[in-house]
Amino acid sequence: MNQKSKARHAHQEAQQEKQAKKVITWIFAVLIVLAVVFLAMAMME
């Protein structure tokens, strides 16, 4: 691989890692919100 290709590949990997971290953060946020909703519903009964 030439230098340009290596740099592009490294940049693409960094972008994918950033995207994966965002997705994981969103998944955990949704799970926490669902847990809070579930607890609120359980307390009402």
Side-chain angles (χ1 to χ4, degrees):
M1 274 200 270
N2 61 17
Q3 289 299 91
K4 204 176 202 181
S5 182
K6 284 182 184 177
R8 191 179 313 130
H9 184 69
H11 178 67
Q12 190 176 12
E13 265 188 34
Q15 290 295 335
Q16 285 179 343
E17 189 174 333
K18 241 171 118 174
Q19 186 75 18
K21 285 181 182 180
K22 275 187 188 179
V23 169
I24 291 170
T25 301
W26 275 104
I27 289 171
F28 276 114
V30 168
L31 286 174
I32 290 169
V33 168
L34 288 174
V36 170
V37 169
F38 179 76
L39 287 173
M41 296 294 280
M43 290 216 163
M44 288 179 138
E45 293 180 3

